[in-house]
Amino acid sequence: MLEIRNLHANIGDKEILRGIDLSVQAGEIHAVMGPNGSGKSTLAQVLAGHPAYEVTQGTVLYDGRNLLEMDPEVRAQEGIFLAFQYPIEIPGVTNAYFLRSAYNEIRKAKGMPELDPLEFLDLMEEKTKIVEMDQAMMNRSVNTGFSGGEKKRNEILQMAVLEPRLAILDETDSGLDIDALKVVANGVNALRRPDNATIVVTHYQRLLNYIIPDRVHVLAHGRIVKSGGKELALELEERGYDWIPGAAA
Amino acid sequence: MSSAIESLVNKEYAYGFVTDVETDSIGRGLSEDVIRLISSKKNEPAFMLEWRLKAYRRWLTMKEPHWGNLHYEPIDYQNIIYYSAPKSVKPLQSLDEVDPELLRAYEKLGISLNEQKKLAGVAVDAIFDSVSVGTTMKEELSKYGIVFCSFGEAVQNHPELVERYLGTVVPHSDNFYAALNAAVFSDGSFCYVPKGVKCPMELSTYFRINSADTGQFERTLIIADEGASVSYLEGCTAPRRDTNQLHAAVVELIALDNASVKYSTVQNWYAGDSEGKGGIFNFVTKRGKCAGVNSKISWTQVETGSAITWKYPSVILQGDNSTGEFYSVAVVNNHQQADTGTKMIHIGKNTKSNIVSKGISAGHGNNSYRGQVKILPRATNARNYTQCDSMLIGNQCGAHTFPYIEVQNNTATLEHEASTSKIGEDQIFYCKQRGLSAEHAVSMIVSGFCREVFQNLPMEFAVEAQQLLGITLEGSVG
């Protein structure tokens, strides 16, 4: 589904990604771990098409198509979803309106009919249950005045509604207490299907107790320095990163 | 900034056309003779001419105010044509007699003076250059005893009402532009809603400047008698021209005991080109007086046009328990400048005022909010809430806030909140990552920012206002 080859990316003059190779198949969950500043979030942002990053080398194929040529909104319409590490506030725009607009844009891109507000309300009733969220949240402005946990839950809600083929969770676990963490993980697991895939970017192993990855990758200095099965995450938890060749600071 | 933001804020001005009608204009310049000529052309009673001359003599002693945060070349008041009227105008029995060219001009503006508006339940008075060319729905309104007509007709048919209320809120000597207006105003709209009558439809005036080098000086007077209520809409456009044109209007609102007046404006005068050439100089005095107990006056404005806007719709809260409101969205782009806000003067007991101002600056635009809240000694338990938010689009625009607060009664409660934000790449990226186009994202963000103001516009104008900002209404009602 996703083929990343020798991906290099800069922010300004600074090279952050220095040759990433990663292959993700449908139905898989991949965890990308690594110390602070290793380039985890950059990888997530580059896949989503953030304009601040410049890709200098390499290719990314998504279902065999050149992902890097697509505008961010096209990537979203094609099923790529990024759960933001720091979700953005949009004052005055209700969560319900925002999400319905996004949902309908994506439906439109697929040639499907748009949902009217009432039909969408029914869909929301079902989806808010997945993340144990109060319906009243839908009438609040997008992320405005939300607590850290509410923002992260809101990202997962959006994911549940938009049903992406490839979801990228960027440090979704940071700042969550254990209950919120479970809610987020249950949300991700409930949405797992044979034809979609998830990349979980995280600093801690904790989230991976609840979302069991098929593959774990260690990112350091802009490269993947080690890959393994789910047990690699446990080993990292125990031993840190320094024992891995190429990961030392 | 991203191209989508630019294309959104750089929408072409759609109303820049000129209509070819024969006009009856007088020569350039201003003198007592010109004023006498205007007054005689309007066949006015003596009290009107005296009032005009008094204003003119006062104006001669006044200086153009320069305290606004505005920069422009000096205005040559002797190089302006003070009266221009479509030639065919004579007392009209019905709209069928209106010059078809004028009707076509209004059709082009999307203002039908004929059937559609009737269906929409809006009565329209259309002002072309300096005179009213037609008022719709008069008969229907007269059933309720409501007078809605051009100012000129009101002077002829209801001189007692005009004499009683004219200048009682904005005196002839109020300020430089108001004095100029009092001296030379040639028409405008007039509305009187009698005791206990709730006006059954929206009333609307559409102002259009057409002739070159003409100043537009209209005057609107709205009176809601005891227990009456009325909602009034005002729209304005002008052709695209290279020279600046002066617009110095006055609006006076009066609400007696238990009466309410809601006044909404969508101001879209030609703003000049992207280099700042041309455009309307909009120097307007708007003021309402809550003269009676429990009365209410509410201003809502969406200001997107004009090269320069200088405008402070205000409320004098004289009656006990009266309420004043001001909701404003002001947008500046290219080289537009706006210095706008409100004054809330609390005189009566338990008076309340509410101010919500949203300024949006793009391009090289410069936007200033200037607001005064004054609590006088007798105004026990007065309350004011002010919220003043600015949004910046790009790096070369400016936003300023100048609040003036004066409290002379220590039982008053005042709150002031202000914020400045910038549409960021991150906000746009977030929306794009959810599948929305950048243009959709910007209009959504701007619409969200203006939400509290749009909610206060009558439906019809809310749509126009949203379109002006390139926004869909859905954004604010979710």
Side-chain angles (χ1 to χ4, degrees):
Chain A
M1 175 190 268
L2 187 74
E3 287 292 337
I4 304 175
R5 296 230 174 90
N6 190 32
L7 183 66
H8 290 248
N10 289 4
I11 185 160
D13 291 335
K14 197 175 173 211
E15 188 170 52
I16 311 275
L17 300 184
R18 296 193 280 184
I20 302 267
D21 291 285
L22 180 65
S23 168
V24 177
Q25 307 306 318
E28 292 181 343
I29 293 180
H30 287 238
V32 174
M33 302 182 71
N36 284 330
S38 58
K40 302 187 302 284
S41 282
T42 298
L43 176 62
Q45 299 274 358
V46 166
L47 291 177
H50 195 289
Y53 299 92
E54 187 197 352
V55 173
T56 52
Q57 266 190 70
T59 56
V60 180
L61 294 180
Y62 173 62
D63 285 339
R65 295 161 61 196
N66 183 353
L67 183 75
L68 300 176
E69 275 182 357
M70 298 180 197
D71 285 332
E73 62 269 36
V74 176
R75 298 182 198 197
Q77 289 159 7
E78 294 288 334
I80 290 183
F81 180 92
L82 172 64
F84 282 59
Q85 183 177 4
Y86 304 107
I88 308 291
E89 302 186 354
I90 311 176
V93 176
T94 64
N95 232 355
Y97 176 73
F98 178 74
L99 199 41
R100 181 161 59 85
S101 301
Y103 183 77
N104 280 335
E105 281 305 320
I106 289 169
R107 299 257 302 184
K108 235 180 354 194
K110 288 182 186 160
M112 291 159 76
E114 300 180 31
L115 287 195
D116 67 33
L118 285 177
E119 293 169 316
F120 189 72
L121 204 65
D122 292 341
L123 178 72
M124 292 315 300
E125 216 166 295
E126 171 198 330
K127 298 290 186 182
T128 43
K129 282 184 198 140
I130 297 178
V131 290
E132 300 176 24
M133 200 158 118
D134 189 345
Q135 280 265 1
M137 291 271 284
M138 296 312 293
N139 295 321
R140 287 170 59 186
S141 294
V142 180
N143 293 325
T144 310
F146 284 25
S147 70
E150 284 174 332
K151 283 182 180 174
K152 296 294 174 76
R153 245 182 239 216
N154 201 28
E155 294 291 289
I156 301 305
L157 171 70
Q158 294 183 16
M159 183 174 106
V161 172
L162 301 179
E163 298 186 324
R165 290 204 55 226
L166 175 63
I168 305 160
L169 276 56
D170 188 5
E171 308 256 3
T172 299
D173 51 336
S174 64
L176 291 188
D177 61 30
I178 196 72
D179 292 331
L181 191 75
K182 279 185 193 163
V183 167
V184 165
N186 288 343
V188 172
N189 290 329
L191 297 167
R192 189 167 184 180
R193 289 206 315 254
D195 61 341
N196 63 21
T198 306
I199 298 174
V200 180
V201 173
T202 181
H203 190 70
Y204 303 104
Q205 186 271 337
R206 191 172 74 136
L207 179 65
L208 304 179
N209 291 333
Y210 304 97
I211 302 174
I212 310 297
D214 299 294
R215 299 288 292 163
V216 176
H217 310 278
V218 178
L219 197 60
H221 306 301
R223 290 192 190 92
I224 290 178
V225 292
K226 191 170 180 62
S227 296
K230 61 183 179 211
E231 62 290 341
L232 177 57
L234 293 169
E235 200 173 352
L236 292 171
E237 177 81 350
E238 209 158 293
R239 298 177 61 190
Y241 293 105
D242 285 351
W243 60 276
I244 302 168
Chain B
M1 262 291 134
S2 78
S3 61
I5 299 183
E6 273 167 28
S7 72
L8 174 79
V9 294
N10 289 338
K11 282 226 165 98
E12 281 279 303
Y13 188 67
Y15 310 103
F17 61 88
V18 178
T19 308
D20 191 15
V21 285
E22 267 196 276
T23 56
D24 172 17
S25 301
I26 60 175
R28 287 166 198 272
L30 187 53
S31 64
E32 287 207 4
D33 287 343
V34 166
I35 289 160
R36 286 175 202 280
L37 187 65
I38 292 171
S39 189
S40 78
K41 275 185 185 291
K42 309 288 296 178
N43 190 30
E44 287 178 348
F47 81 87
M48 283 298 300
L49 177 62
E50 276 163 35
W51 194 70
R52 286 172 181 281
L53 290 173
K54 210 161 54 172
Y56 175 64
R57 288 170 194 146
R58 186 61 185 261
W59 179 73
L60 288 174
T61 69
M62 298 169 102
K63 283 210 161 56
E64 207 181 71
H66 287 287
W67 43 259
N69 184 20
L70 302 167
H71 306 277
Y72 53 94
E73 293 293 307
I75 299 168
D76 180 358
Y77 292 93
Q78 293 303 336
N79 197 31
I80 293 171
I81 298 166
Y82 285 89
Y83 184 83
S84 173
K87 225 174 202 155
S88 62
V89 169
K90 50 182 185 294
L92 298 173
Q93 295 311 308
S94 79
L95 281 176
D96 301 339
E97 295 175 32
V98 174
D99 185 340
E101 192 64 34
L102 284 177
L103 288 180
R104 269 195 292 278
Y106 279 93
E107 299 283 348
K108 254 190 196 171
L109 296 169
I111 316 293
S112 169
L113 298 180
N114 295 313
E115 286 309 310
Q116 288 106 312
K117 282 288 155 156
K118 264 187 203 173
L119 296 174
V122 178
V124 183
D125 184 24
I127 312 276
F128 197 81
D129 282 341
S130 299
V131 296
S132 168
V133 294
T135 309
T136 64
M137 312 283 280
K138 265 187 193 169
E139 266 173 52
E140 175 71 15
L141 289 168
S142 68
K143 283 187 211 154
Y144 298 87
I146 296 169
V147 180
F148 178 48
C149 61
S150 72
F151 207 102
E153 279 174 74
V155 169
Q156 301 304 318
N157 302 332
H158 306 278
E160 71 296 341
L161 285 175
V162 174
E163 191 168 7
R164 182 162 167 199
Y165 291 108
L166 176 69
T168 57
V169 184
V170 181
H172 71 275
S173 56
D174 189 78
N175 67 67
F176 183 84
Y177 299 107
L180 180 64
N181 172 286
V184 304
F185 81 94
S186 30
D187 215 333
S189 291
F190 177 88
C191 176
Y192 171 79
V193 185
K195 274 183 196 175
V197 173
K198 310 267 177 240
C199 186
M201 64 187 86
E202 304 276 351
L203 303 184
S204 171
T205 299
Y206 210 91
F207 295 102
R208 173 79 179 162
I209 295 180
N210 189 57
S211 302
D213 300 331
T214 309
Q216 179 152 323
F217 306 93
E218 79 279 346
R219 195 163 183 112
T220 300
L221 177 55
I222 298 171
I223 303 134
D225 211 326
E226 290 168 23
S229 72
V230 60
S231 170
Y232 198 91
L233 323 172
E234 175 202 291
C236 7
T237 57
R240 184 188 288 272
R241 293 188 191 280
D242 294 342
T243 50
N244 296 112
Q245 280 180 282
L246 179 63
H247 175 251
V250 171
V251 176
E252 295 181 275
L253 311 180
I254 296 156
L256 301 181
D257 288 352
N258 305 304
S260 75
V261 180
K262 181 179 168 69
Y263 194 101
S264 312
T265 305
V266 173
Q267 187 264 106
N268 187 24
W269 296 118
Y270 178 50
D273 66 15
S274 56
E275 303 297 312
K277 199 169 162 55
I280 301 291
F281 285 176
N282 194 33
F283 295 99
V284 171
T285 304
K286 290 184 165 174
R287 195 174 302 151
K289 192 199 264 181
C290 284
V293 296
N294 306 317
S295 56
K296 180 175 174 183
I297 287 178
S298 178
W299 298 101
T300 305
Q301 60 172 16
V302 177
E303 304 279 315
T304 63
S306 296
I308 289 181
T309 299
W310 179 96
K311 171 178 171 186
Y312 315 90
S314 306
V315 184
I316 299 168
L317 296 152
Q318 190 179 61
D320 290 348
N321 311 316
S322 59
T323 305
E325 294 176 336
F326 175 74
Y327 301 99
S328 170
V329 168
V331 187
V332 292
N333 187 28
N334 294 323
H335 293 268
Q336 279 178 276
Q337 306 173 62
D339 193 302
T340 185
T342 185
K343 287 189 277 187
M344 293 290 174
I345 313 296
H346 292 252
I347 300 172
K349 293 183 180 62
N350 307 315
T351 46
K352 272 195 312 204
S353 62
N354 198 19
I355 298 171
V356 178
S357 163
K358 304 278 180 177
I360 299 162
S361 312
H364 293 86
N366 204 8
N367 212 334
S368 301
Y369 166 79
R370 192 180 299 277
Q372 183 183 37
V373 177
K374 196 170 180 172
I375 314 287
L376 292 173
R378 211 179 66 79
T380 311
N381 295 323
R383 296 182 71 93
N384 164 264
Y385 172 74
T386 299
Q387 183 189 338
C388 178
D389 299 322
S390 305
M391 177 174 269
L392 302 170
I393 303 175
N395 295 321
Q396 284 155 321
C397 51
H400 313 268
T401 303
F402 303 99
Y404 304 85
I405 294 170
E406 195 183 325
V407 179
Q408 299 174 25
N409 181 311
N410 60 14
T411 60
T413 311
L414 281 83
E415 291 173 77
H416 186 102
E417 286 180 31
S419 76
T420 303
S421 57
K422 198 172 164 184
I423 292 195
E425 289 292 354
D426 280 341
Q427 268 178 326
I428 291 173
F429 178 65
Y430 188 65
C431 295
K432 282 176 133 182
Q433 214 301 306
R434 298 299 183 252
L436 303 170
S437 69
E439 187 164 42
H440 196 156
V442 172
S443 47
M444 186 184 263
I445 294 163
V446 171
S447 153
F449 176 71
C450 299
R451 186 179 187 190
E452 293 131 296
V453 175
F454 286 156
Q455 279 172 339
N456 283 290
L457 281 175
M459 195 58 184
E460 169 127 343
F461 260 28
V463 173
E464 191 179 337
Q466 298 262 358
Q467 282 168 349
L468 272 178
L469 297 174
I471 289 166
T472 60
L473 180 65
E474 284 175 300
S476 54
V477 294

